[in-house]
Amino acid sequence: MPRSGSVGHLEIDSVSRSFGSLRAVNAVSLDIAAGEFIAFLGPSGCGKTTLLRIIAGFEAADSGRLTLDGRVLAGLPPNRRDVGMVFQNLALFPHLTVAENVAFGLELRRKGTAEIARQVEEALALVALDGLAGRRIQQLSGGQRQRVALARALVLHPAVLLLDEPLSALDLKLRRQLQGELKALQRRTGTTFVFVTHDQEEALSMADRVAVFNRGGLEQFDTPQALYGRPATRFVAEFVGDANIRSAAQLAPLGLSLPAGSLLVIRPEDCVVGTAAAAAPVRIDGVVEAVDFVGPHARLRVAPDGMPAGTTEPWLALLPGAALDGLAPGARATLGFDPARAAQLPASQIRGGA
Amino acid sequence: MRTGFPTRALAALLLVLLPAPLVIVIGSSFSPRAVLGFPPPGFSWRWYVEFLGTPSWLVAFGISAALALVSAVLTTLASIGAALALRRAPARLRGIAETAILAPLLFPHAALAIGFLGWLGMAGLGGSFAGMLIAHLVLCAPFAYRPVAVSLAQIDSSLPEAATILGAEPGQAFRRVVLPLLRPGIAASLLFGFIISFDEVTVSMFLVGPEFTTLPVAIYARLNDSADPVVAAISSILILLTAGLVLLMDRLVGLRIFVDIEEDGRHPSA
């Protein structure tokens, strides 16, 4: 049930919010296009949920501007914003049935009984819950509750749907399944989704663009591929995926010269180990410290030679499982990589840190 | 773990002792003789007829019922207001306020009664319905506040938020989501308030006047000068009424709230 025209263009312009001396959201600007699937990604306490609650209207921004399709949101209470929300604990009404939960917002809009019944049925069909309309919330499984929460929000056709870690309570398998369904639902409805998560894999796999937050600030806002391939900050490089991050001083002995103060980000899957390393432009000799074999691939930690004990920063490599070829902890090995495939963080951009 | 013989014997004894007073009161109320005794030497409705035919008993009954009803409703309304206000209050303030509400539980009722007697007399409310009502409101407050506050604490704060973002004004969110979820607490609060007030003797005894008395005080006064079974008949009627009230509440809202008030499953377990 896509909405006519393009609605759901959300502009966030240098929005800040402090709690006491804590800057929960620090001058964040984001331009979210109508129909986009956006993920807010970051560790807990990074400000992503606070920003979501500011968009919903449950918190007020101290400064900055929020507009939805050109309408200024400041001063509008949550019930007048045309914004939907799926809460972290879902917040389904325990005293109402599935159908009554979904009908809640429609009844407040004073639609006719027949119209409400038709729309509830349509919304339940959309989330594949037809037949459960009369159930009580307590009788549903976790995944079914999830879908009721989605139907309850989507039946009102909000311009933007906010989702606050709605999958975090589910087990991994159900989570994967619902991630797929959620993404398909977003495509089908054309609604702008803003999805808060601390799970980088969830963010990368679902969103069109991901906003990475750290300590209240926006680190980077980009497509998943760009985020991973060209991290803008050290924080993003470390938070999104694994990375070998080396300074110019650490790389100089390997014959690589970088501008002073800049960093090189080498992804573990861009490293090769063993005989394959012979052809790599940059090679490091060392000892295999650890091997984690997980079937399709294996993670290796290689301690480079010539580093004083205690200061050794091991290299991470991700190899196809079949390429392990007898590499075991304690074995001598050569690790190689191609600096052309690595991302460089200029000195001026290095913020955050582990 | 198997329960040993002493434990089971104690449990059996308690099971006999708990209903024993009820059996004796109801039994002796049917006595045809003018002296309270058990077992009754015969069967007669005599004392029930006397109760229902004596205006002073009926007036006392009416006063107690009205007092209990008004006390229950007012303390419950006040408890809802207090619980809502204190939920958002700073923890220190909430602690102080809750202690004040629960204070009547901590003081001897005789001491409270003397206090009430003093200041209600000064206010010109001694021996009046209004004075008695004020005392009963204070005595009922601790019992009325707790069930409402516990019910409210179990309502996740995201529920009214969810109602709001679905389009509800704050008042609608309260009426359509918070209030229905508070229902068991409100029912318990009303029931406790009613029973505490209806049952109150110690404080009420100090506050009755020559023209104004409550049923429990009247029963007590009657026992002091003659032990005829009319008091047993009245007590039997009260037992019946209370049992009826509890059953009604159970049918309407369920009484699980009395049994395990902390674990009443009102949360949508996420």
Side-chain angles (χ1 to χ4, degrees):
Chain A
M1 36 184 175
R3 284 173 69 127
S4 52
S6 80
V7 291
H9 174 207
L10 183 66
E11 274 177 289
I12 301 168
D13 187 9
S14 51
V15 163
S16 295
R17 167 74 181 176
S18 300
F19 296 109
S21 62
L22 175 77
R23 292 218 98 181
V25 177
N26 192 2
V28 170
S29 294
L30 289 168
D31 192 339
I32 297 170
E36 259 193 310
F37 195 139
I38 299 297
F40 285 0
L41 174 67
S44 55
C46 70
K48 57 193 193 299
T49 294
T50 303
L51 184 57
L52 199 76
R53 290 178 61 82
I54 290 172
I55 299 171
F58 293 127
E59 303 279 350
D62 295 332
S63 61
R65 216 170 104 99
L66 269 175
T67 60
L68 178 54
D69 296 322
R71 264 183 324 137
V72 177
L73 291 182
L76 281 179
N79 51 326
R80 309 253 172 88
R81 291 195 167 195
D82 196 12
V83 167
M85 182 152 170
V86 175
F87 291 78
Q88 184 163 19
N89 66 359
L90 305 182
L92 296 174
F93 304 130
H95 59 302
L96 302 179
T97 63
V98 168
E100 287 165 345
N101 263 277
V102 178
F104 191 90
L106 296 171
E107 282 169 7
L108 290 168
R109 281 159 182 72
R110 304 191 173 282
K111 308 245 181 187
T113 321
E115 175 66 11
I116 290 177
R118 191 186 62 74
Q119 291 199 34
V120 167
E121 198 178 323
E122 201 180 286
L124 288 178
L126 184 73
V127 295
L129 275 184
D130 1 22
L132 295 184
R135 289 277 182 95
R136 297 230 143 236
I137 299 306
Q138 293 85 343
Q139 295 172 297
L140 302 181
S141 70
Q144 288 168 336
R145 289 177 192 202
Q146 201 71 54
R147 289 176 215 187
V148 176
L150 277 169
R152 185 177 70 174
L154 286 173
V155 75
L156 301 174
H157 306 283
V160 177
L161 183 64
L162 309 173
L163 302 106
D164 186 8
E165 308 213 28
L167 306 180
S168 58
L170 302 174
D171 64 65
L172 191 65
K173 202 173 163 195
L174 188 57
R175 207 176 156 133
R176 292 261 178 282
Q177 184 196 334
L178 281 166
Q179 282 170 3
E181 288 183 17
L182 209 54
K183 197 169 167 166
L185 200 58
Q186 192 269 339
R187 288 237 183 79
R188 213 153 60 235
T189 59
T191 309
T192 307
F193 273 32
V194 178
F195 186 99
V196 162
T197 179
H198 62 264
D199 178 342
Q200 47 112 354
E201 204 176 311
E202 191 164 273
L204 296 188
S205 68
M206 293 175 77
D208 298 322
R209 286 196 291 167
V210 178
V212 183
F213 291 88
N214 181 33
R215 293 180 190 161
L218 179 64
E219 293 276 330
Q220 191 172 1
F221 183 39
D222 221 326
T223 63
Q225 291 86 342
L227 219 55
Y228 190 75
R230 294 186 304 280
T233 67
R234 176 170 192 146
F235 178 82
V236 174
E238 285 177 339
F239 194 76
V240 181
D242 291 324
N244 297 295
I245 300 178
R246 294 296 183 272
S247 66
Q250 285 173 306
L251 291 171
L254 301 174
L256 271 175
S257 69
L258 289 178
S262 63
L263 296 174
L264 204 60
V265 178
I266 306 122
R267 296 291 179 189
E269 66 273 22
D270 290 331
C271 295
V272 285
V273 182
T275 46
V282 178
R283 287 179 301 279
I284 304 127
D285 292 322
V287 176
V288 176
E289 267 191 356
V291 178
D292 297 330
F293 178 75
V294 287
H297 51 255
R299 277 188 297 269
L300 255 73
R301 229 173 46 227
V302 178
D305 294 340
M307 306 278 281
T311 64
T312 310
E313 197 175 355
W315 285 76
L316 300 175
L318 190 70
L319 309 180
L324 204 51
D325 196 23
L327 286 167
R332 289 208 56 80
T334 302
L335 181 143
F337 67 91
D338 181 356
R341 295 179 58 91
Q344 192 178 321
L345 295 176
S348 62
Q349 301 258 317
I350 297 161
R351 297 191 271 149
Chain B
M1 195 182 76
R2 281 175 55 92
T3 41
F5 175 74
T7 316
R8 275 188 287 168
L10 188 65
L13 187 67
L14 279 174
L15 279 178
V16 173
L17 286 181
L18 278 176
L22 301 185
V23 172
I24 289 175
V25 165
I26 294 171
S28 52
S29 73
F30 293 110
S31 168
R33 298 233 313 263
V35 179
L36 205 51
F38 189 84
F43 180 89
S44 123
W45 289 103
R46 180 180 164 191
W47 303 108
Y48 290 87
V49 173
E50 168 154 350
F51 168 64
L52 295 170
T54 311
S56 63
W57 280 124
L58 294 180
V59 168
F61 180 86
I63 286 172
S64 274
L67 197 61
L69 196 68
V70 177
S71 295
V73 170
L74 289 184
T75 42
T76 300
L77 287 177
S79 297
I80 296 171
L84 286 171
L86 291 177
R87 186 183 199 188
R88 272 177 243 141
R92 246 177 71 89
L93 179 64
R94 187 169 63 231
I96 293 169
E98 288 190 335
T99 308
I101 294 168
L102 299 180
L105 284 178
L106 306 175
F107 296 108
H109 275 190
L112 283 174
I114 292 167
F116 277 123
L117 188 63
W119 82 260
L120 289 174
M122 279 193 290
L125 293 170
S128 72
F129 186 87
M132 186 71 82
L133 179 62
I134 290 171
H136 278 210
L137 291 178
V138 172
L139 295 172
C140 292
F143 297 94
Y145 175 74
R146 222 186 114 63
V148 170
V150 169
S151 265
L152 187 67
Q154 287 173 347
I155 299 176
D156 198 296
S157 63
S158 64
L159 290 176
E161 281 188 349
T164 308
I165 206 149
L166 289 169
E169 298 291 336
Q172 290 175 311
F174 180 75
R175 273 200 313 283
R176 303 186 58 140
V177 174
V178 178
L179 210 51
L181 294 174
L182 273 184
R183 229 175 52 178
I186 291 172
S189 175
L190 284 171
L191 191 59
F192 278 139
F194 189 90
I195 290 172
I196 296 292
S197 165
F198 201 82
D199 238 19
E200 219 298 315
V201 188
T202 321
V203 174
S204 306
M205 215 155 54
F206 288 73
L207 302 177
V208 293
E211 301 290 308
F212 171 82
T213 190
T214 66
L215 191 59
V217 174
I219 292 174
Y220 183 77
R222 177 60 166 258
L223 273 175
N224 270 344
D225 43 63
S226 81
D228 64 31
V230 71
V231 293
I234 299 170
S235 303
S236 302
I237 290 172
L238 297 187
I239 289 166
L240 206 68
L241 282 179
T242 309
L245 203 62
V246 170
L247 282 178
L248 185 73
M249 282 289 180
D250 188 35
R251 287 295 293 274
L252 290 181
V253 290
L255 285 183
R256 269 192 57 201
I257 186 111
F258 293 104
V259 184
D260 51 0
I261 207 159
E262 305 291 353
E263 291 173 53
D264 190 33
R266 296 278 143 193
H267 276 296
S269 52

